[in-house]
Amino acid sequence: TWDQQLSPSRVFEAVHFTTANIGWAVAESGWVYHTTDGGQNWESRQLQPIRDLTGVHFYDVEHGWIVGHQGAIFYTSDAGVNWEDQGGSVDGYAIPTLNDVFGYGPTNAVAVGIGGAIYSH
């Protein structure tokens, strides 16, 4: 059966679990939620610059990416303790809104977005 979790009034866009207990959820206005107990409790933080976040994926418990509106791309190599802003532009062109991301190695990922955008790292 499904159990409803109490949450702030946010629009959540994506969720990803790396283990049965460790998971991440992303929402509007740069909000990221993290659980270490299978979703019973969630800690939150707001990433800067503030962008609506639409996708999250971790390759393993340490290495993960978050993507979102206005070319938002964030990367962590320390289980979300720190997030590196990798978004903005590529070859002088602004990255469009990204909808999803998949990490296939500790430093490798593919992100997709509007207008047929596909970016790899």
Side-chain angles (χ1 to χ4, degrees):
T1 64
W2 290 89
D3 294 320
Q4 183 176 0
Q5 301 284 320
L6 295 177
S7 69
S9 57
R10 303 226 184 280
V11 175
F12 287 91
E13 294 287 344
V15 63
H16 178 77
F17 275 72
T18 56
T19 70
N21 290 318
I22 299 173
W24 299 86
V26 295
E28 63 187 345
S29 300
W31 287 101
V32 177
Y33 290 78
H34 178 236
T35 182
T36 58
D37 60 9
Q40 296 300 312
N41 297 287
W42 294 85
E43 294 181 11
S44 65
R45 68 185 289 185
Q46 192 174 35
L47 298 182
Q48 303 289 330
I50 295 173
R51 302 281 190 265
D52 289 345
L53 304 175
T54 55
V56 57
H57 189 267
F58 273 68
Y59 170 71
D60 56 25
V61 295
E62 297 289 323
H63 303 88
W65 291 264
I66 292 173
V67 297
H69 288 208
Q70 298 173 295
I73 303 173
F74 297 96
Y75 170 73
T76 184
S77 60
D78 58 9
V81 173
N82 297 290
W83 289 93
E84 175 188 349
D85 178 6
Q86 294 184 337
S89 65
V90 173
D91 297 328
Y93 294 96
I95 298 172
T97 291
L98 298 171
N99 297 320
D100 203 5
V101 63
F102 182 84
Y104 61 92
T107 59
N108 304 101
V110 173
V112 296
I114 64 170
I118 301 174
Y119 292 89
S120 63
H121 185 278

